[in-house]
Amino acid sequence: MTETMLAERAPATAPSFPDMANAIRALAMDAVEKAKSGHPGMPMGMADVATALFTRFLKIDPADPTWPDRDRFVLSAGHGSMLQYALHYLLGYSDMPIEQLQKFRQFGSHTAGHPEYGHALGIETTTGPLGQGVATAVGMALAERMMNARYGDALVDHHTYVIAGDGCLMEGLSHEAIDLAGHLKLGKLIVLWDDNHITIDGETNLSTSADQILRFTAAGWNVARIDGHDEKQITDALATARAQGDRPWLIACRTTIGFGAPTRAGTSKAHGEPLGAEEIAGARAKLNWPYPPFTVPAPILTEWRKVSARGAAAHAEWKARLAASGKSAGFTAQVSGETPREIYVALKELIASHVADKPKLATRKASEIALAAINGASDVTIGGSADLTHSNLTITKGMESVKPGDYAGRYVHYGIREHGMAAAMNGIALHGGFIPYGGTFLVFSDYARGALRLSALMGVRVIYVFTHDSIGLGEDGPTHQPVEHLATLRALPNLLTFRPADAVETAEAWAAALAEKTTPSALALTRQALAALRTEASPENLTAKGAYVLREAEGERDVTLLATGSEVEIAVAAADLLAAQGVKAAVVSMPCWELFERQGEAYRRAVLGTAPRVGVEAALRFGWDRWLGERGAFVGMNGFGASAPAGELYKHFGITAEAVVDAAKTLIK
């Protein structure tokens, strides 16, 4: 529809604030109705809040959605995605014409059921799993303050705004996130809570009696309670929050879900299903919106597009400041997403020293040494741990801690908040300027699972340092000994899971992980010391191939031993025992299955060979059979571990060189 045709349906007077908000409401209910699925209630209820935020405060440039100093907007209540898509159409994003709204929730459209990072311009993070948006925004707000500490207000001075629902604040992740944000005094973070008292099942009093105002206050936030349909109250609250940025803000916006719907407003029926033709007709009458579906009068659209013009002007002013700052080259390099060449040079030198020195190290210690080289070569890495710093060995010399109000450091103490840590790291990576890594025990990757999955789904470079990776951690027992976790990590699409066998492989794993701009990585590292296995220099990163022949058999193979991590040295010992018995065994180290899968078929065939195969890993067999084939055997765990010294556990569970020999001989009889 042309602008002239729109103008024919235009209001006679300049658009009012309700006109602007009702454009969002109408587009939301029309798109959901056409799709025959979706969530109209939240966009209709929060339209006034969004209108005030976007038209009066938000600093964005839809013509360049990746402008580094833009404000970040996160729709944590991602089921209300039509709020964001309607806004993007009204603001004039190039990939969001009206036809995209008409294709809401259809295959191949930009308007997915929940906002998906990378699928539409201006979507800062994937949301939908409730609470993830709030927690990811904490990382964005933290990254803004850390960049500000380096480059000052002239280049970095923006806010992170979140629209969150009751469900976001019920999820346990939100507790971790708001506690961390309040502690760190992230005053550029403003959460707008859609306080509509409704969930899918009905009123919130079915399942909660929490006083969110008291809860956020206790966590160190500033708070305000407003009528979410009162223009002045919304505007005043946002102005106050921006002016008083000593702490993060919660603005509780009391709203009516499905605002304007004649019979469903304020009920759970407005939450997650189309309103229906009769209800929509009644809403149009009640809202004084007499226009056909997907029609926004030209004056209203023009008024909305002023937001984009204002943002473009602010962007131009920022570019001028950047050019005059004397910091343009450094700033541009830092936000480019490229890993500095100096890091790879430092890791190459480290690998050469490991080959020469042949150190016997736990791979968590080898990781610490690699991190010392990485962090010493560049300051783009941001480290952290979920209260296990000196077990994960994730801090290195010279790294200062990030503190409340002091963001010049490079190390974040995330506290005992694995899920919050993972979500915050997603936010740091999405914000840009840094490469985040964070540590915990491998067994506690379960606690971070939701955010870790989003790392993979969004394709962001977050590096997870998971130590104490097997029964090798010993005395802490089965509650802390991961057995199924490697399989669950390997099951995630677009996640690289590394389990290095010695110091060289560990350094190579770090180099490979840092090289992946659109894939997160997980490093599974040992508590116990491992022998040096890579004792000869290699011109290439063998770990980056995913698997390689560590030791070839003398002559045609009788058997191939496949292993990862701490079990590679067991496979080497088994190969020696087999050789003494006249059996020719090759040893293949498989530090990263996913990277091995990327290699060509010829390479994979050459590595795996045609002889029978034995897999060795102190974990469950699940997933191994694709490498072992029909005639393969597996030496590993069949259940949970136990509490005892590591050496005793390996013997008890039969993960020994002798057990590998027996399995191999059985196959080649």
Side-chain angles (χ1 to χ4, degrees), residues 105-140:
R105 288 185 160 226
Q106 304 310 301
F107 182 77
S109 74
H110 298 155
T111 47
H114 294 85
E116 295 186 33
Y117 174 73
H119 285 238
L121 299 175
I123 305 296
E124 301 286 3
T125 182
T126 296
T127 57
L130 294 178
Q132 289 289 343
V134 172
T136 303
V138 172
M140 293 178 180

PDB file of all heavy atoms in Angstrom, residues 105-140:
ATOM      1  N   ARG A 105       5.177 -15.791  11.907  1.00  0.00           N
ATOM      2  CA  ARG A 105       5.275 -17.200  12.288  1.00  0.00           C
ATOM      3  C   ARG A 105       5.259 -18.157  11.095  1.00  0.00           C
ATOM      4  O   ARG A 105       5.035 -19.355  11.269  1.00  0.00           O
ATOM      5  CB  ARG A 105       4.159 -17.582  13.273  1.00  0.00           C
ATOM      6  CG  ARG A 105       4.352 -16.988  14.660  1.00  0.00           C
ATOM      7  CD  ARG A 105       3.310 -17.483  15.649  1.00  0.00           C
ATOM      8  NE  ARG A 105       3.800 -17.286  17.020  1.00  0.00           N
ATOM      9  CZ  ARG A 105       3.732 -18.188  17.978  1.00  0.00           C
ATOM     10  NH1 ARG A 105       3.182 -19.361  17.746  1.00  0.00           N
ATOM     11  NH2 ARG A 105       4.208 -17.936  19.180  1.00  0.00           N
ATOM     12  N   GLN A 106       5.531 -17.638   9.898  1.00  0.00           N
ATOM     13  CA  GLN A 106       5.565 -18.498   8.728  1.00  0.00           C
ATOM     14  C   GLN A 106       7.006 -18.818   8.350  1.00  0.00           C
ATOM     15  O   GLN A 106       7.922 -18.032   8.587  1.00  0.00           O
ATOM     16  CB  GLN A 106       4.845 -17.825   7.563  1.00  0.00           C
ATOM     17  CG  GLN A 106       3.410 -17.416   7.876  1.00  0.00           C
ATOM     18  CD  GLN A 106       2.582 -18.538   8.484  1.00  0.00           C
ATOM     19  OE1 GLN A 106       2.418 -19.592   7.862  1.00  0.00           O
ATOM     20  NE2 GLN A 106       2.060 -18.325   9.689  1.00  0.00           N
ATOM     21  N   PHE A 107       7.189 -19.964   7.722  1.00  0.00           N
ATOM     22  CA  PHE A 107       8.535 -20.428   7.392  1.00  0.00           C
ATOM     23  C   PHE A 107       9.248 -19.432   6.485  1.00  0.00           C
ATOM     24  O   PHE A 107       8.704 -18.969   5.482  1.00  0.00           O
ATOM     25  CB  PHE A 107       8.475 -21.791   6.701  1.00  0.00           C
ATOM     26  CG  PHE A 107       9.825 -22.349   6.372  1.00  0.00           C
ATOM     27  CD1 PHE A 107      10.611 -22.909   7.363  1.00  0.00           C
ATOM     28  CD2 PHE A 107      10.326 -22.294   5.081  1.00  0.00           C
ATOM     29  CE1 PHE A 107      11.864 -23.415   7.076  1.00  0.00           C
ATOM     30  CE2 PHE A 107      11.579 -22.795   4.781  1.00  0.00           C
ATOM     31  CZ  PHE A 107      12.348 -23.361   5.780  1.00  0.00           C
ATOM     32  N   GLY A 108      10.483 -19.121   6.838  1.00  0.00           N
ATOM     33  CA  GLY A 108      11.301 -18.246   6.024  1.00  0.00           C
ATOM     34  C   GLY A 108      11.098 -16.768   6.263  1.00  0.00           C
ATOM     35  O   GLY A 108      11.831 -15.952   5.700  1.00  0.00           O
ATOM     36  N   SER A 109      10.134 -16.390   7.092  1.00  0.00           N
ATOM     37  CA  SER A 109       9.908 -14.973   7.364  1.00  0.00           C
ATOM     38  C   SER A 109      10.915 -14.473   8.390  1.00  0.00           C
ATOM     39  O   SER A 109      11.576 -15.262   9.072  1.00  0.00           O
ATOM     40  CB  SER A 109       8.486 -14.739   7.870  1.00  0.00           C
ATOM     41  OG  SER A 109       8.348 -15.179   9.211  1.00  0.00           O
ATOM     42  N   HIS A 110      11.010 -13.149   8.527  1.00  0.00           N
ATOM     43  CA  HIS A 110      11.837 -12.541   9.561  1.00  0.00           C
ATOM     44  C   HIS A 110      11.104 -12.467  10.890  1.00  0.00           C
ATOM     45  O   HIS A 110      11.698 -12.080  11.901  1.00  0.00           O
ATOM     46  CB  HIS A 110      12.257 -11.127   9.142  1.00  0.00           C
ATOM     47  CG  HIS A 110      13.090 -11.095   7.904  1.00  0.00           C
ATOM     48  ND1 HIS A 110      13.170  -9.993   7.076  1.00  0.00           N
ATOM     49  CD2 HIS A 110      13.880 -12.039   7.331  1.00  0.00           C
ATOM     50  CE1 HIS A 110      13.961 -10.261   6.056  1.00  0.00           C
ATOM     51  NE2 HIS A 110      14.408 -11.497   6.191  1.00  0.00           N
ATOM     52  N   THR A 111       9.836 -12.811  10.869  1.00  0.00           N
ATOM     53  CA  THR A 111       8.981 -12.634  12.043  1.00  0.00           C
ATOM     54  C   THR A 111       8.690 -13.986  12.691  1.00  0.00           C
ATOM     55  O   THR A 111       7.561 -14.488  12.644  1.00  0.00           O
ATOM     56  CB  THR A 111       7.681 -11.915  11.641  1.00  0.00           C
ATOM     57  OG1 THR A 111       7.139 -12.545  10.462  1.00  0.00           O
ATOM     58  CG2 THR A 111       7.938 -10.455  11.331  1.00  0.00           C
ATOM     59  N   ALA A 112       9.716 -14.576  13.263  1.00  0.00           N
ATOM     60  CA  ALA A 112       9.575 -15.873  13.921  1.00  0.00           C
ATOM     61  C   ALA A 112       8.687 -15.764  15.162  1.00  0.00           C
ATOM     62  O   ALA A 112       8.433 -14.668  15.672  1.00  0.00           O
ATOM     63  CB  ALA A 112      10.950 -16.399  14.301  1.00  0.00           C
ATOM     64  N   GLY A 113       8.242 -16.897  15.653  1.00  0.00           N
ATOM     65  CA  GLY A 113       7.351 -16.905  16.804  1.00  0.00           C
ATOM     66  C   GLY A 113       7.932 -16.224  18.022  1.00  0.00           C
ATOM     67  O   GLY A 113       7.213 -15.616  18.812  1.00  0.00           O
ATOM     68  N   HIS A 114       9.227 -16.337  18.212  1.00  0.00           N
ATOM     69  CA  HIS A 114       9.941 -15.614  19.259  1.00  0.00           C
ATOM     70  C   HIS A 114      11.113 -14.884  18.603  1.00  0.00           C
ATOM     71  O   HIS A 114      11.635 -15.345  17.577  1.00  0.00           O
ATOM     72  CB  HIS A 114      10.454 -16.566  20.335  1.00  0.00           C
ATOM     73  CG  HIS A 114       9.362 -17.229  21.120  1.00  0.00           C
ATOM     74  ND1 HIS A 114       8.726 -18.377  20.693  1.00  0.00           N
ATOM     75  CD2 HIS A 114       8.774 -16.893  22.297  1.00  0.00           C
ATOM     76  CE1 HIS A 114       7.802 -18.728  21.581  1.00  0.00           C
ATOM     77  NE2 HIS A 114       7.817 -17.844  22.556  1.00  0.00           N
ATOM     78  N   PRO A 115      11.544 -13.766  19.150  1.00  0.00           N
ATOM     79  CA  PRO A 115      12.648 -13.021  18.528  1.00  0.00           C
ATOM     80  C   PRO A 115      13.915 -13.868  18.471  1.00  0.00           C
ATOM     81  O   PRO A 115      14.326 -14.461  19.469  1.00  0.00           O
ATOM     82  CB  PRO A 115      12.839 -11.818  19.474  1.00  0.00           C
ATOM     83  CG  PRO A 115      11.539 -11.689  20.196  1.00  0.00           C
ATOM     84  CD  PRO A 115      11.019 -13.081  20.346  1.00  0.00           C
ATOM     85  N   GLU A 116      14.508 -13.932  17.279  1.00  0.00           N
ATOM     86  CA  GLU A 116      15.702 -14.744  17.088  1.00  0.00           C
ATOM     87  C   GLU A 116      16.850 -13.875  16.599  1.00  0.00           C
ATOM     88  O   GLU A 116      16.755 -13.226  15.555  1.00  0.00           O
ATOM     89  CB  GLU A 116      15.436 -15.880  16.098  1.00  0.00           C
ATOM     90  CG  GLU A 116      14.417 -16.896  16.606  1.00  0.00           C
ATOM     91  CD  GLU A 116      14.279 -18.091  15.679  1.00  0.00           C
ATOM     92  OE1 GLU A 116      15.292 -18.474  15.053  1.00  0.00           O
ATOM     93  OE2 GLU A 116      13.166 -18.633  15.580  1.00  0.00           O
ATOM     94  N   TYR A 117      17.916 -13.886  17.361  1.00  0.00           N
ATOM     95  CA  TYR A 117      19.120 -13.126  17.003  1.00  0.00           C
ATOM     96  C   TYR A 117      19.632 -13.591  15.642  1.00  0.00           C
ATOM     97  O   TYR A 117      19.778 -14.788  15.384  1.00  0.00           O
ATOM     98  CB  TYR A 117      20.192 -13.339  18.069  1.00  0.00           C
ATOM     99  CG  TYR A 117      21.528 -12.735  17.741  1.00  0.00           C
ATOM    100  CD1 TYR A 117      21.715 -11.360  17.786  1.00  0.00           C
ATOM    101  CD2 TYR A 117      22.608 -13.541  17.385  1.00  0.00           C
ATOM    102  CE1 TYR A 117      22.951 -10.792  17.492  1.00  0.00           C
ATOM    103  CE2 TYR A 117      23.851 -12.991  17.088  1.00  0.00           C
ATOM    104  CZ  TYR A 117      24.011 -11.616  17.147  1.00  0.00           C
ATOM    105  OH  TYR A 117      25.227 -11.065  16.850  1.00  0.00           O
ATOM    106  N   GLY A 118      19.892 -12.626  14.774  1.00  0.00           N
ATOM    107  CA  GLY A 118      20.411 -12.941  13.453  1.00  0.00           C
ATOM    108  C   GLY A 118      19.353 -13.166  12.401  1.00  0.00           C
ATOM    109  O   GLY A 118      19.663 -13.202  11.212  1.00  0.00           O
ATOM    110  N   HIS A 119      18.077 -13.311  12.803  1.00  0.00           N
ATOM    111  CA  HIS A 119      17.007 -13.546  11.829  1.00  0.00           C
ATOM    112  C   HIS A 119      16.341 -12.257  11.392  1.00  0.00           C
ATOM    113  O   HIS A 119      15.630 -12.238  10.385  1.00  0.00           O
ATOM    114  CB  HIS A 119      15.958 -14.501  12.420  1.00  0.00           C
ATOM    115  CG  HIS A 119      16.414 -15.918  12.469  1.00  0.00           C
ATOM    116  ND1 HIS A 119      15.747 -16.948  11.842  1.00  0.00           N
ATOM    117  CD2 HIS A 119      17.490 -16.489  13.059  1.00  0.00           C
ATOM    118  CE1 HIS A 119      16.386 -18.082  12.052  1.00  0.00           C
ATOM    119  NE2 HIS A 119      17.444 -17.833  12.797  1.00  0.00           N
ATOM    120  N   ALA A 120      16.511 -11.200  12.146  1.00  0.00           N
ATOM    121  CA  ALA A 120      15.959  -9.896  11.779  1.00  0.00           C
ATOM    122  C   ALA A 120      16.873  -8.824  12.346  1.00  0.00           C
ATOM    123  O   ALA A 120      17.456  -8.989  13.426  1.00  0.00           O
ATOM    124  CB  ALA A 120      14.532  -9.728  12.317  1.00  0.00           C
ATOM    125  N   LEU A 121      16.995  -7.726  11.628  1.00  0.00           N
ATOM    126  CA  LEU A 121      17.830  -6.626  12.082  1.00  0.00           C
ATOM    127  C   LEU A 121      17.308  -6.076  13.406  1.00  0.00           C
ATOM    128  O   LEU A 121      16.092  -6.012  13.627  1.00  0.00           O
ATOM    129  CB  LEU A 121      17.839  -5.512  11.040  1.00  0.00           C
ATOM    130  CG  LEU A 121      18.388  -5.864   9.653  1.00  0.00           C
ATOM    131  CD1 LEU A 121      18.202  -4.693   8.699  1.00  0.00           C
ATOM    132  CD2 LEU A 121      19.848  -6.283   9.731  1.00  0.00           C
ATOM    133  N   GLY A 122      18.220  -5.694  14.277  1.00  0.00           N
ATOM    134  CA  GLY A 122      17.827  -5.044  15.518  1.00  0.00           C
ATOM    135  C   GLY A 122      17.415  -5.974  16.632  1.00  0.00           C
ATOM    136  O   GLY A 122      17.118  -5.510  17.735  1.00  0.00           O
ATOM    137  N   ILE A 123      17.390  -7.285  16.380  1.00  0.00           N
ATOM    138  CA  ILE A 123      17.102  -8.247  17.452  1.00  0.00           C
ATOM    139  C   ILE A 123      18.416  -8.494  18.190  1.00  0.00           C
ATOM    140  O   ILE A 123      19.335  -9.108  17.652  1.00  0.00           O
ATOM    141  CB  ILE A 123      16.534  -9.565  16.906  1.00  0.00           C
ATOM    142  CG1 ILE A 123      15.296  -9.321  16.049  1.00  0.00           C
ATOM    143  CG2 ILE A 123      16.232 -10.521  18.062  1.00  0.00           C
ATOM    144  CD1 ILE A 123      14.120  -8.749  16.781  1.00  0.00           C
ATOM    145  N   GLU A 124      18.508  -8.023  19.420  1.00  0.00           N
ATOM    146  CA  GLU A 124      19.791  -8.053  20.139  1.00  0.00           C
ATOM    147  C   GLU A 124      20.116  -9.422  20.715  1.00  0.00           C
ATOM    148  O   GLU A 124      21.278  -9.749  20.944  1.00  0.00           O
ATOM    149  CB  GLU A 124      19.776  -7.015  21.269  1.00  0.00           C
ATOM    150  CG  GLU A 124      19.555  -5.583  20.815  1.00  0.00           C
ATOM    151  CD  GLU A 124      20.774  -4.963  20.146  1.00  0.00           C
ATOM    152  OE1 GLU A 124      21.789  -5.658  19.976  1.00  0.00           O
ATOM    153  OE2 GLU A 124      20.705  -3.778  19.780  1.00  0.00           O
ATOM    154  N   THR A 125      19.083 -10.224  20.984  1.00  0.00           N
ATOM    155  CA  THR A 125      19.307 -11.548  21.554  1.00  0.00           C
ATOM    156  C   THR A 125      18.074 -12.400  21.334  1.00  0.00           C
ATOM    157  O   THR A 125      16.958 -11.874  21.226  1.00  0.00           O
ATOM    158  CB  THR A 125      19.634 -11.474  23.059  1.00  0.00           C
ATOM    159  OG1 THR A 125      19.887 -12.794  23.563  1.00  0.00           O
ATOM    160  CG2 THR A 125      18.497 -10.871  23.851  1.00  0.00           C
ATOM    161  N   THR A 126      18.276 -13.702  21.253  1.00  0.00           N
ATOM    162  CA  THR A 126      17.149 -14.627  21.157  1.00  0.00           C
ATOM    163  C   THR A 126      16.469 -14.721  22.512  1.00  0.00           C
ATOM    164  O   THR A 126      17.132 -14.919  23.540  1.00  0.00           O
ATOM    165  CB  THR A 126      17.633 -16.015  20.715  1.00  0.00           C
ATOM    166  OG1 THR A 126      18.166 -15.911  19.390  1.00  0.00           O
ATOM    167  CG2 THR A 126      16.512 -17.036  20.733  1.00  0.00           C
ATOM    168  N   THR A 127      15.163 -14.565  22.518  1.00  0.00           N
ATOM    169  CA  THR A 127      14.405 -14.691  23.758  1.00  0.00           C
ATOM    170  C   THR A 127      13.196 -15.582  23.521  1.00  0.00           C
ATOM    171  O   THR A 127      12.872 -15.942  22.401  1.00  0.00           O
ATOM    172  CB  THR A 127      13.939 -13.323  24.289  1.00  0.00           C
ATOM    173  OG1 THR A 127      13.149 -12.670  23.284  1.00  0.00           O
ATOM    174  CG2 THR A 127      15.121 -12.450  24.672  1.00  0.00           C
ATOM    175  N   GLY A 128      12.531 -15.906  24.586  1.00  0.00           N
ATOM    176  CA  GLY A 128      11.416 -16.846  24.551  1.00  0.00           C
ATOM    177  C   GLY A 128      11.488 -17.731  25.779  1.00  0.00           C
ATOM    178  O   GLY A 128      10.516 -17.805  26.547  1.00  0.00           O
ATOM    179  N   PRO A 129      12.635 -18.412  26.008  1.00  0.00           N
ATOM    180  CA  PRO A 129      12.810 -19.082  27.305  1.00  0.00           C
ATOM    181  C   PRO A 129      12.825 -18.007  28.399  1.00  0.00           C
ATOM    182  O   PRO A 129      13.743 -17.194  28.458  1.00  0.00           O
ATOM    183  CB  PRO A 129      14.171 -19.767  27.169  1.00  0.00           C
ATOM    184  CG  PRO A 129      14.413 -19.879  25.698  1.00  0.00           C
ATOM    185  CD  PRO A 129      13.770 -18.659  25.103  1.00  0.00           C
ATOM    186  N   LEU A 130      11.822 -18.009  29.219  1.00  0.00           N
ATOM    187  CA  LEU A 130      11.611 -16.867  30.113  1.00  0.00           C
ATOM    188  C   LEU A 130      12.775 -16.697  31.092  1.00  0.00           C
ATOM    189  O   LEU A 130      13.344 -17.658  31.591  1.00  0.00           O
ATOM    190  CB  LEU A 130      10.295 -17.034  30.866  1.00  0.00           C
ATOM    191  CG  LEU A 130       9.057 -16.973  29.975  1.00  0.00           C
ATOM    192  CD1 LEU A 130       7.784 -17.207  30.786  1.00  0.00           C
ATOM    193  CD2 LEU A 130       8.972 -15.646  29.230  1.00  0.00           C
ATOM    194  N   GLY A 131      13.104 -15.450  31.335  1.00  0.00           N
ATOM    195  CA  GLY A 131      14.212 -15.096  32.213  1.00  0.00           C
ATOM    196  C   GLY A 131      15.521 -14.900  31.490  1.00  0.00           C
ATOM    197  O   GLY A 131      16.415 -14.192  31.977  1.00  0.00           O
ATOM    198  N   GLN A 132      15.671 -15.530  30.310  1.00  0.00           N
ATOM    199  CA  GLN A 132      16.940 -15.432  29.595  1.00  0.00           C
ATOM    200  C   GLN A 132      17.235 -14.005  29.166  1.00  0.00           C
ATOM    201  O   GLN A 132      18.389 -13.552  29.207  1.00  0.00           O
ATOM    202  CB  GLN A 132      16.933 -16.351  28.368  1.00  0.00           C
ATOM    203  CG  GLN A 132      16.983 -17.827  28.690  1.00  0.00           C
ATOM    204  CD  GLN A 132      18.317 -18.288  29.222  1.00  0.00           C
ATOM    205  OE1 GLN A 132      19.326 -17.612  29.077  1.00  0.00           O
ATOM    206  NE2 GLN A 132      18.334 -19.445  29.866  1.00  0.00           N
ATOM    207  N   GLY A 133      16.202 -13.276  28.743  1.00  0.00           N
ATOM    208  CA  GLY A 133      16.431 -11.910  28.284  1.00  0.00           C
ATOM    209  C   GLY A 133      16.948 -11.013  29.384  1.00  0.00           C
ATOM    210  O   GLY A 133      17.892 -10.231  29.190  1.00  0.00           O
ATOM    211  N   VAL A 134      16.329 -11.104  30.558  1.00  0.00           N
ATOM    212  CA  VAL A 134      16.768 -10.301  31.704  1.00  0.00           C
ATOM    213  C   VAL A 134      18.228 -10.614  32.028  1.00  0.00           C
ATOM    214  O   VAL A 134      19.054  -9.715  32.217  1.00  0.00           O
ATOM    215  CB  VAL A 134      15.881 -10.571  32.933  1.00  0.00           C
ATOM    216  CG1 VAL A 134      16.456  -9.889  34.170  1.00  0.00           C
ATOM    217  CG2 VAL A 134      14.459 -10.098  32.680  1.00  0.00           C
ATOM    218  N   ALA A 135      18.556 -11.904  32.083  1.00  0.00           N
ATOM    219  CA  ALA A 135      19.900 -12.314  32.481  1.00  0.00           C
ATOM    220  C   ALA A 135      20.934 -11.968  31.415  1.00  0.00           C
ATOM    221  O   ALA A 135      22.065 -11.577  31.733  1.00  0.00           O
ATOM    222  CB  ALA A 135      19.922 -13.814  32.767  1.00  0.00           C
ATOM    223  N   THR A 136      20.572 -12.098  30.146  1.00  0.00           N
ATOM    224  CA  THR A 136      21.475 -11.717  29.070  1.00  0.00           C
ATOM    225  C   THR A 136      21.722 -10.219  29.087  1.00  0.00           C
ATOM    226  O   THR A 136      22.850  -9.745  28.843  1.00  0.00           O
ATOM    227  CB  THR A 136      20.906 -12.151  27.713  1.00  0.00           C
ATOM    228  OG1 THR A 136      20.664 -13.563  27.732  1.00  0.00           O
ATOM    229  CG2 THR A 136      21.859 -11.827  26.576  1.00  0.00           C
ATOM    230  N   ALA A 137      20.678  -9.452  29.391  1.00  0.00           N
ATOM    231  CA  ALA A 137      20.810  -7.993  29.449  1.00  0.00           C
ATOM    232  C   ALA A 137      21.792  -7.560  30.530  1.00  0.00           C
ATOM    233  O   ALA A 137      22.448  -6.511  30.393  1.00  0.00           O
ATOM    234  CB  ALA A 137      19.445  -7.365  29.699  1.00  0.00           C
ATOM    235  N   VAL A 138      21.904  -8.336  31.595  1.00  0.00           N
ATOM    236  CA  VAL A 138      22.893  -8.023  32.634  1.00  0.00           C
ATOM    237  C   VAL A 138      24.293  -8.041  32.026  1.00  0.00           C
ATOM    238  O   VAL A 138      25.124  -7.162  32.294  1.00  0.00           O
ATOM    239  CB  VAL A 138      22.779  -9.015  33.809  1.00  0.00           C
ATOM    240  CG1 VAL A 138      23.935  -8.828  34.796  1.00  0.00           C
ATOM    241  CG2 VAL A 138      21.443  -8.837  34.525  1.00  0.00           C
ATOM    242  N   GLY A 139      24.565  -9.045  31.179  1.00  0.00           N
ATOM    243  CA  GLY A 139      25.870  -9.090  30.511  1.00  0.00           C
ATOM    244  C   GLY A 139      26.075  -7.926  29.567  1.00  0.00           C
ATOM    245  O   GLY A 139      27.179  -7.372  29.468  1.00  0.00           O
ATOM    246  N   MET A 140      25.025  -7.530  28.866  1.00  0.00           N
ATOM    247  CA  MET A 140      25.128  -6.369  27.969  1.00  0.00           C
ATOM    248  C   MET A 140      25.442  -5.105  28.756  1.00  0.00           C
ATOM    249  O   MET A 140      26.310  -4.309  28.372  1.00  0.00           O
ATOM    250  CB  MET A 140      23.817  -6.190  27.200  1.00  0.00           C
ATOM    251  CG  MET A 140      23.504  -7.283  26.214  1.00  0.00           C
ATOM    252  SD  MET A 140      21.905  -6.992  25.418  1.00  0.00           S
ATOM    253  CE  MET A 140      21.820  -8.411  24.325  1.00  0.00           C
TER     254      MET A 140
END
